[in-house]
Amino acid sequence: QVQLVESGGGLVQAGDSLRLSCVVSGRTSSIYAMGWFRQAAGREREFVAAVTWLGGSTDYADSVKGRFTISRDRPKNKLYLQMNSLEPEDTAVYYCAALLRYLSFMRNSKEYNYWGQGTQVTVSS
């Protein structure tokens, strides 16, 4: 079992920065990768970024590449998403997720086994 709790969301203006955090507990040794996904109102959940837990290899959605940075602090069992140059289009509920299967396709939300409760990010223009 893996438990995930996101935090750090809020209301910001376009161009601002925000850092999301995700506390990971439980059997962290079973984790292959961690990802961030988001779901805007009336839209489907979409991939944002992912990182392999041990190796630190990253992957980003084109929409956030160059603006967002995913990172993890393994000793602290934390996952982060640094979001810079935020745009109104980034407004969504952001979820962290844990993927257990080795060499899974990290962009696919259906591959993930555990999910946090989500944290709201709202970017005003």
Short mmCIF file of all heavy atoms in Angstrom, two decimals, residues 3-36:
data_model
loop_
_atom_site.label_atom_id
_atom_site.label_comp_id
_atom_site.label_asym_id
_atom_site.label_seq_id
_atom_site.Cartn_x
_atom_site.Cartn_y
_atom_site.Cartn_z
N GLN A 3 0.38 5.55 0.18
CA GLN A 3 -0.51 6.68 0.42
C GLN A 3 0.14 7.96 -0.07
O GLN A 3 1.34 8.17 0.13
CB GLN A 3 -0.86 6.80 1.90
CG GLN A 3 -1.64 5.63 2.46
CD GLN A 3 -0.74 4.46 2.83
OE1 GLN A 3 0.33 4.64 3.39
NE2 GLN A 3 -1.18 3.26 2.49
N LEU A 4 -0.66 8.82 -0.69
CA LEU A 4 -0.16 10.05 -1.28
C LEU A 4 -1.03 11.22 -0.82
O LEU A 4 -2.25 11.13 -0.85
CB LEU A 4 -0.18 9.97 -2.80
CG LEU A 4 0.46 8.74 -3.44
CD1 LEU A 4 0.16 8.70 -4.93
CD2 LEU A 4 1.96 8.75 -3.19
N VAL A 5 -0.39 12.31 -0.44
CA VAL A 5 -1.11 13.50 -0.02
C VAL A 5 -0.47 14.72 -0.67
O VAL A 5 0.70 15.03 -0.39
CB VAL A 5 -1.11 13.67 1.51
CG1 VAL A 5 -1.87 14.93 1.89
CG2 VAL A 5 -1.73 12.45 2.18
N GLU A 6 -1.23 15.40 -1.53
CA GLU A 6 -0.73 16.59 -2.20
C GLU A 6 -1.02 17.84 -1.37
O GLU A 6 -1.96 17.88 -0.58
CB GLU A 6 -1.39 16.76 -3.58
CG GLU A 6 -1.27 15.57 -4.50
CD GLU A 6 -2.51 14.70 -4.46
OE1 GLU A 6 -3.18 14.65 -3.40
OE2 GLU A 6 -2.81 14.06 -5.48
N SER A 7 -0.22 18.86 -1.63
CA SER A 7 -0.44 20.16 -1.02
C SER A 7 0.26 21.22 -1.86
O SER A 7 1.05 20.90 -2.75
CB SER A 7 0.08 20.20 0.42
OG SER A 7 1.48 20.00 0.47
N GLY A 8 -0.02 22.47 -1.57
CA GLY A 8 0.67 23.57 -2.23
C GLY A 8 -0.14 24.30 -3.28
O GLY A 8 0.33 25.31 -3.82
N GLY A 9 -1.33 23.85 -3.56
CA GLY A 9 -2.16 24.53 -4.53
C GLY A 9 -2.66 25.86 -3.98
O GLY A 9 -2.55 26.16 -2.80
N GLY A 10 -3.22 26.66 -4.87
CA GLY A 10 -3.73 27.94 -4.47
C GLY A 10 -4.12 28.80 -5.65
O GLY A 10 -4.13 28.34 -6.80
N LEU A 11 -4.42 30.04 -5.37
CA LEU A 11 -4.81 31.01 -6.38
C LEU A 11 -3.64 31.95 -6.65
O LEU A 11 -3.14 32.60 -5.73
CB LEU A 11 -6.02 31.81 -5.91
CG LEU A 11 -6.48 32.97 -6.79
CD1 LEU A 11 -6.92 32.46 -8.15
CD2 LEU A 11 -7.61 33.73 -6.11
N VAL A 12 -3.22 32.01 -7.90
CA VAL A 12 -2.11 32.87 -8.30
C VAL A 12 -2.46 33.58 -9.60
O VAL A 12 -3.43 33.25 -10.27
CB VAL A 12 -0.80 32.07 -8.49
CG1 VAL A 12 -0.37 31.43 -7.18
CG2 VAL A 12 -0.97 31.01 -9.58
N GLN A 13 -1.64 34.55 -9.93
CA GLN A 13 -1.82 35.28 -11.18
C GLN A 13 -0.95 34.71 -12.28
O GLN A 13 0.06 34.06 -12.02
CB GLN A 13 -1.48 36.76 -10.97
CG GLN A 13 -2.43 37.51 -10.07
CD GLN A 13 -2.09 38.97 -9.97
OE1 GLN A 13 -0.95 39.34 -9.66
NE2 GLN A 13 -3.06 39.83 -10.25
N ALA A 14 -1.35 34.95 -13.50
CA ALA A 14 -0.57 34.51 -14.64
C ALA A 14 0.85 35.04 -14.53
O ALA A 14 1.07 36.21 -14.20
CB ALA A 14 -1.22 34.96 -15.94
N GLY A 15 1.81 34.17 -14.81
CA GLY A 15 3.21 34.52 -14.71
C GLY A 15 3.84 34.17 -13.38
O GLY A 15 5.07 34.17 -13.27
N ASP A 16 3.02 33.87 -12.39
CA ASP A 16 3.54 33.52 -11.07
C ASP A 16 4.05 32.08 -11.03
O ASP A 16 3.89 31.32 -11.98
CB ASP A 16 2.44 33.70 -10.02
CG ASP A 16 2.18 35.15 -9.68
OD1 ASP A 16 2.93 36.02 -10.16
OD2 ASP A 16 1.22 35.41 -8.95
N SER A 17 4.64 31.74 -9.90
CA SER A 17 5.17 30.41 -9.68
C SER A 17 4.49 29.76 -8.49
O SER A 17 3.99 30.45 -7.59
CB SER A 17 6.68 30.45 -9.45
OG SER A 17 7.37 30.94 -10.58
N LEU A 18 4.51 28.46 -8.47
CA LEU A 18 3.91 27.69 -7.40
C LEU A 18 4.62 26.35 -7.32
O LEU A 18 5.00 25.80 -8.36
CB LEU A 18 2.42 27.50 -7.67
CG LEU A 18 1.47 27.20 -6.50
CD1 LEU A 18 1.48 28.34 -5.50
CD2 LEU A 18 0.06 26.99 -7.04
N ARG A 19 4.78 25.84 -6.12
CA ARG A 19 5.38 24.52 -5.97
C ARG A 19 4.42 23.59 -5.25
O ARG A 19 3.99 23.87 -4.13
CB ARG A 19 6.70 24.58 -5.19
CG ARG A 19 7.43 23.23 -5.21
CD ARG A 19 8.78 23.28 -4.55
NE ARG A 19 8.69 23.24 -3.09
CZ ARG A 19 9.68 22.88 -2.29
NH1 ARG A 19 10.86 22.54 -2.81
NH2 ARG A 19 9.51 22.90 -0.98
N LEU A 20 4.11 22.50 -5.90
CA LEU A 20 3.26 21.48 -5.31
C LEU A 20 4.13 20.41 -4.66
O LEU A 20 5.22 20.11 -5.13
CB LEU A 20 2.38 20.83 -6.37
CG LEU A 20 1.49 21.76 -7.21
CD1 LEU A 20 0.64 20.94 -8.17
CD2 LEU A 20 0.64 22.64 -6.32
N SER A 21 3.61 19.86 -3.58
CA SER A 21 4.32 18.80 -2.88
C SER A 21 3.41 17.59 -2.74
O SER A 21 2.19 17.72 -2.69
CB SER A 21 4.76 19.27 -1.49
OG SER A 21 5.64 20.36 -1.56
N CYS A 22 4.02 16.44 -2.65
CA CYS A 22 3.30 15.20 -2.44
C CYS A 22 4.08 14.36 -1.46
O CYS A 22 5.24 14.02 -1.72
CB CYS A 22 3.11 14.46 -3.76
SG CYS A 22 2.30 12.85 -3.62
N VAL A 23 3.47 14.05 -0.34
CA VAL A 23 4.09 13.20 0.66
C VAL A 23 3.73 11.75 0.37
O VAL A 23 2.54 11.42 0.25
CB VAL A 23 3.66 13.59 2.08
CG1 VAL A 23 4.30 12.66 3.10
CG2 VAL A 23 4.05 15.03 2.37
N VAL A 24 4.73 10.91 0.27
CA VAL A 24 4.54 9.51 -0.05
C VAL A 24 4.82 8.67 1.18
O VAL A 24 5.86 8.81 1.82
CB VAL A 24 5.47 9.07 -1.20
CG1 VAL A 24 5.14 7.65 -1.64
CG2 VAL A 24 5.38 10.05 -2.37
N SER A 25 3.90 7.81 1.51
CA SER A 25 4.09 6.92 2.65
C SER A 25 3.68 5.50 2.27
O SER A 25 3.05 5.28 1.25
CB SER A 25 3.30 7.40 3.87
OG SER A 25 1.91 7.43 3.60
N GLY A 26 4.06 4.57 3.11
CA GLY A 26 3.78 3.17 2.83
C GLY A 26 4.99 2.49 2.23
O GLY A 26 6.13 2.82 2.54
N ARG A 27 4.74 1.58 1.33
CA ARG A 27 5.81 0.79 0.72
C ARG A 27 6.44 1.53 -0.45
O ARG A 27 6.22 1.18 -1.61
CB ARG A 27 5.28 -0.57 0.29
CG ARG A 27 4.88 -1.47 1.45
CD ARG A 27 4.60 -2.88 1.01
NE ARG A 27 4.43 -3.77 2.14
CZ ARG A 27 5.43 -4.36 2.79
NH1 ARG A 27 6.68 -4.15 2.41
NH2 ARG A 27 5.18 -5.15 3.82
N THR A 28 7.22 2.52 -0.13
CA THR A 28 7.87 3.31 -1.17
C THR A 28 8.89 2.51 -1.96
O THR A 28 9.22 2.87 -3.10
CB THR A 28 8.55 4.54 -0.57
OG1 THR A 28 9.51 4.14 0.41
CG2 THR A 28 7.52 5.45 0.09
N SER A 29 9.39 1.43 -1.39
CA SER A 29 10.36 0.59 -2.09
C SER A 29 9.76 -0.09 -3.31
O SER A 29 10.49 -0.58 -4.17
CB SER A 29 10.95 -0.45 -1.14
OG SER A 29 9.96 -1.32 -0.63
N SER A 30 8.45 -0.13 -3.38
CA SER A 30 7.76 -0.77 -4.50
C SER A 30 7.51 0.17 -5.67
O SER A 30 7.04 -0.26 -6.71
CB SER A 30 6.42 -1.35 -4.03
OG SER A 30 6.61 -2.33 -3.03
N ILE A 31 7.83 1.44 -5.50
CA ILE A 31 7.50 2.45 -6.51
C ILE A 31 8.52 2.45 -7.64
O ILE A 31 9.72 2.49 -7.41
CB ILE A 31 7.43 3.84 -5.87
CG1 ILE A 31 6.29 3.90 -4.86
CG2 ILE A 31 7.26 4.91 -6.94
CD1 ILE A 31 6.23 5.20 -4.07
N TYR A 32 8.00 2.43 -8.85
CA TYR A 32 8.85 2.56 -10.03
C TYR A 32 8.94 4.04 -10.46
O TYR A 32 10.02 4.54 -10.75
CB TYR A 32 8.31 1.73 -11.19
CG TYR A 32 8.94 2.08 -12.51
CD1 TYR A 32 10.30 1.83 -12.74
CD2 TYR A 32 8.21 2.67 -13.54
CE1 TYR A 32 10.90 2.15 -13.94
CE2 TYR A 32 8.80 2.99 -14.74
CZ TYR A 32 10.14 2.73 -14.94
OH TYR A 32 10.73 3.05 -16.15
N ALA A 33 7.80 4.71 -10.49
CA ALA A 33 7.79 6.10 -10.92
C ALA A 33 6.68 6.86 -10.22
O ALA A 33 5.70 6.27 -9.74
CB ALA A 33 7.60 6.19 -12.44
N MET A 34 6.84 8.17 -10.17
CA MET A 34 5.82 9.06 -9.64
C MET A 34 5.45 10.05 -10.72
O MET A 34 6.31 10.50 -11.48
CB MET A 34 6.34 9.80 -8.41
CG MET A 34 6.65 8.91 -7.22
SD MET A 34 5.14 8.22 -6.47
CE MET A 34 4.32 9.72 -5.93
N GLY A 35 4.18 10.40 -10.75
CA GLY A 35 3.72 11.32 -11.77
C GLY A 35 2.80 12.38 -11.23
O GLY A 35 2.22 12.24 -10.15
N TRP A 36 2.69 13.45 -11.99
CA TRP A 36 1.71 14.50 -11.73
C TRP A 36 0.73 14.52 -12.90
O TRP A 36 1.14 14.53 -14.07
CB TRP A 36 2.36 15.87 -11.60
CG TRP A 36 3.10 16.09 -10.32
CD1 TRP A 36 4.44 15.99 -10.11
CD2 TRP A 36 2.53 16.45 -9.06
NE1 TRP A 36 4.75 16.28 -8.81
CE2 TRP A 36 3.59 16.56 -8.13
CE3 TRP A 36 1.23 16.70 -8.62
CZ2 TRP A 36 3.39 16.91 -6.80
CZ3 TRP A 36 1.04 17.04 -7.29
CH2 TRP A 36 2.10 17.14 -6.41
#
